[in-house]
Amino acid sequence: MKSHVKAVVIGGGVVGCSVLYHLAKAGWTDIMLIERSELTSGSSWHAAGGFHTLNGDPNVAKLQAYTVQLYKEIEELSGQSCSLHLTGGVMMADTPERMDFLRLAHAKGRYLGMDTELITPSEAKAMFPLMDETNFVGAMWDPVEGHLDPSGTTIAYSKAAKKLGAEIVLRNRVVELTQEVDGTWNVVTEQGTVKAEHVVNCGGLWAREIGRMVGVELPVLAMEHMYLLTEPMPEVEEFNKSTGREMIGVLDFKGEIYTRQERNGILLGTYEKACKPWSPVNTPWDFGHELLQPDIDRIAPSLEIGFKHFPGIEKAGIKQIINGPFTFALDGNPLVGPVQGLTNFWCACAVMAGFSQGGGVGLALSNWMVNGDPGFDVWGMDVARFGEWAGLRYTNAKVRENYSRRFSIRFPNEELPAARPAQTTPLYDTMLANNAVMGDSWGLETPLWFAPKGKEPKDIVSFHRSNDFGPIGEEVRATRDKVGVTEIANFAKYEVSGPGAEDFLNRLMTNRMPKTGRIVLTPMINEFGKLIGDFTIAKAGPRDGEDRFMIWGSSAAQKYHMRWFEKHLPKNGPRASEVRIHRFDQTLVGLSIAGPKSRDLLRKLVDVDISTKAFRFMDFREMAVGGAPCMVNRITYTGDLGYEIWMAPAYQRLVYKAIKDAGEEFGLVDFGMRALLSMRLEKNFPTWFRELRPIYGPFEGSMDRFIKLEKNDFIGREAAAKEQSEGPKLRRVSFFVDAADADVMGDEPIWAKVGKDYGTVEKPHGYGAPRFDTSGQEVRGSKAAQGASAVRGIVDGDWRVVGWVTSGGYAHYVQKSMAQGYVPAALAEDESAGLFEIEILGHRRPARINVEPPFDPSGEKMRT
């Protein structure tokens, strides 16, 4: 075993071996994987081995498609078979709501270039004759699904990595991790200590324990997961013989089961409601190639439905029940990337779907380590997406909830209850008393909308307009016509101070920093010129003669942004202490008042001049509001006249009561986050992580006026200048949509009727699998049979998919359904009617670009 290497990967499951392979492929050959036992000794060896490309996050779906593509490559390099079975698969819908869900998934597949197809239950039965098709209303076919040999695939990764120069050390547990002053890690093992520049936690079942070695409590928990294998079935053998094909994989939402062929029988697995965590506090180090005791009673309700839906399986004998632990994060997606607060400590864990995602995780992480950027939009997998509130008990509750809902529909207006409330502001009880429907915003309870008096404050979940539609409209109209107040504690808040603060921020941000008492809006981009932040920055009065800046941004990105800030702080030399960053989190809370009467209201609460000339648009002041010390920004996300008022939590109730008392004469209303988002649509304002993401450049994001290329040499300036000079390929645009009773939710395809190809979505995978008609014959003309021959499903005569929706909804004041999204730059200013359609729940609705915001296009109201 070497004593010094560039990187140590801890854990020899499929994810660890994939990371090792991708690092070696990227040129890092001085690397080592250390495994406590044998390869695949955690969850990999007993996995069902299924893979698919579909995912609720389209960006994760792209990495899953890459994973499937990769298997041929590692087989050829390693000489080890993965036993790949590319059978294709179907998702079965038993209700209209589940069929709507499949329509959404199919629409996402259009702009990803996937060959999914909506089919009838009879067509699905032709590919899996064990089902009773009368239980279903429809299905979606995906040709890129199948299964493989988990152990063989893991070994293929490891052999390929060793051929490229990587080292693998088995039967050697890591017992301690310490870090030197120079950042070098001491990886202390049973066989000695290895010094490494980088450490990667691919510990799987033991990822939590490895995290604790460096003081990090990762939000990951192992769950018991069962699947059964049947005895050989004559029906399976007959199907194979008559068609020359293997049976496809089937996912049944109602039964919470998945099933596929395994040899001459069937494999059937469940994600049961009565789920059970495994080792919820500590994972025993001596657990190895072992299985857990089966509990058939726990999965009996799922089996009962499964046998009804697939009567052919009910008659089969059960050969074996597999029960083993698999790790999950809170939302079911992996935890990948550098850990904020640590140097060169990386995670690639909680990869529950290791054979769907392992390759993509390895690629993204190796890119990140070698090039400084994952090369993809991996926010859905970023370890920084959870905050400190995601502790052990919170994680236990949320993972159980996620597991039990694995095959349940998540509606766009659905708030899940487990582990709540986790964080609350001083106004939490007051908001509940005001009949607020609360939502979870990065662990914080936030008012979403207010139910009318006498009505139960509860969402009726739906893909269509629901019971919040009317009340949100009332909140918007009252705010636009008079004045409204909302809680904004769910913003991220930072203070950057010190003699080097302004230089530091000028280096990070694309806009110039403001003068004292003023505010600027500014994106932040990475070295590659991609959007990684969007902030409001105010320069406060100096403290002890040093500069002080207040910064507001996206709450969900707090650890993501702190990681970037810390990476670029002066580390050594005389400037090392010139910049200090403080993250407030919930030690600073806020309220926003907006609307034409907001100045009249605020004037009653302050003892200073806040006239238009004295307190201008984009001004910042520290002043007493209702007698409480506050910071006030003359700006709101509503795009109307308004103010953001920030205070310590101890003062929030005082300030809120003062606002409510003073606002009564002006017709003040409470409004929630959904009304705020509706109003931002009317101003064409983007949101972070929807419109503004690391896959877009600042000019693509239509942030032109905030990019000051002539100022100092900020990070990403050269790439931004290149984007400007060459012209952005895409542009963020806003649409009016001729919607019916459902508005866009995000990720819908945008169709355009164009005379030439302005650019279609590149197809992310390269092969498909056939499907059959009701007689068992292969359908040669179907999209599924055509496989990779064309990007089917995104071209329809003169119409083609040219872009995708990022977000949208109903803009209540202008009474229009609206959407934002990205289209080719050549189309971005074409406001012609009949040019665009946006697909909503399987129906293409006419849409038209609106270049100017429909509410106050000149911006006069917010500047008044």
Side-chain angles (χ1 to χ4, degrees), residues 3-44:
S3 59
H4 293 75
V5 294
K6 191 170 186 68
V8 165
V9 177
I10 303 174
V14 64
V15 176
C17 291
S18 172
V19 169
L20 190 75
Y21 167 69
H22 282 92
L23 284 173
K25 185 179 178 183
W28 282 19
T29 55
D30 185 20
I31 53 178
M32 177 187 296
L33 183 148
I34 301 177
E35 161 56 40
R36 50 174 280 284
S37 181
E38 307 293 337
L39 297 181
T40 77
S41 292
S43 297
S44 296

Side-chain angles (χ1 to χ4, degrees), residues 802-824:
V802 297
W804 53 92
V805 170
T806 50
S807 71
Y810 194 78
H812 287 268
Y813 196 71
V814 300
Q815 298 182 39
K816 297 280 189 181
S817 184
M818 296 188 68
Q820 290 193 35
Y822 281 83
V823 300

Side-chain angles (χ1 to χ4, degrees), residues 465-706:
R465 293 173 187 164
S466 189
N467 61 321
D468 63 349
F469 188 81
I472 291 172
E474 292 297 322
E475 294 171 24
V476 170
R477 286 185 288 273
T479 300
R480 289 284 196 225
D481 291 338
K482 297 176 182 177
V483 61
V485 59
T486 192
E487 196 172 17
I488 51 173
N490 62 329
F491 287 24
K493 293 88 60 175
Y494 316 88
E495 182 184 75
V496 176
S497 61
E502 186 157 353
D503 287 344
F504 172 72
L505 290 174
N506 265 319
R507 173 72 176 143
L508 261 62
M509 307 296 172
T510 64
N511 205 346
R512 297 186 184 90
M513 289 303 100
K515 297 178 180 179
T516 301
R518 292 290 288 164
I519 297 168
V520 298
L521 305 177
T522 179
M524 182 169 71
I525 60 177
N526 61 19
E527 299 97 326
F528 307 96
K530 300 301 182 184
L531 288 160
I532 58 169
D534 180 44
F535 301 99
T536 301
I537 300 182
K539 187 172 185 181
R543 180 186 296 147
D544 300 326
E546 295 183 348
D547 285 343
R548 183 165 59 102
F549 292 85
M550 291 297 303
I551 303 177
W552 292 269
S554 167
S555 62
Q558 289 183 60
K559 301 196 82 172
Y560 174 87
H561 287 142
M562 282 296 294
R563 186 172 65 193
W564 185 261
F565 295 157
E566 290 168 355
K567 178 180 179 179
H568 294 283
L569 281 171
K571 297 293 192 299
N572 303 300
R575 302 181 63 87
S577 62
E578 287 191 352
V579 182
R580 294 180 297 278
I581 302 176
H582 174 68
R583 175 183 147 218
F584 288 97
D585 202 8
Q586 293 311 309
T587 62
L588 185 68
V589 295
L591 297 162
S592 177
I593 56 174
K597 298 294 185 182
S598 57
R599 180 185 288 110
D600 296 335
L601 192 162
L602 185 61
R603 187 177 284 123
K604 297 182 66 175
L605 305 179
V606 301
D607 302 310
V608 297
D609 185 1
I610 60 166
S611 64
T612 303
K613 290 184 179 180
F615 196 29
R616 300 166 295 167
F617 176 61
M618 301 288 280
D619 268 358
F620 166 88
R621 294 287 185 276
E622 296 181 81
M623 64 178 77
V625 178
C630 297
M631 294 177 287
V632 183
N633 297 332
R634 211 200 118 175
I635 189 175
T636 78
Y637 196 41
T638 68
D640 211 327
L641 172 66
Y643 306 85
E644 294 175 350
I645 307 168
W646 303 96
M647 72 291 294
Y651 296 107
Q652 192 186 30
R653 292 174 70 91
L654 172 65
V655 176
Y656 178 74
K657 185 177 186 304
I659 289 172
K660 291 287 282 188
D661 290 345
E664 189 172 351
E665 70 174 276
F666 303 112
L668 177 74
V669 298
D670 287 289
F671 68 93
M673 189 57 56
R674 290 181 185 168
L676 181 64
L677 293 175
S678 173
M679 287 185 275
R680 70 95 186 175
L681 286 174
E682 300 172 337
K683 290 293 294 179
N684 292 0
F685 288 166
T687 57
W688 180 243
F689 286 130
R690 296 302 300 179
E691 283 72 46
L692 310 179
R693 298 188 68 138
I695 51 175
Y696 307 123
F699 296 99
E700 287 182 325
S702 301
M703 307 293 283
D704 309 40
R705 66 185 184 278
F706 306 121

Side-chain angles (χ1 to χ4, degrees), residues 45-47 225-229 291-292 294 320-324:
W45 74 273
H46 60 74
H225 179 68
M226 279 181 277
Y227 63 87
L228 59 86
L229 302 173
L291 291 173
L292 308 177
Q320 186 180 10
I321 299 176
I322 307 293
N323 186 18

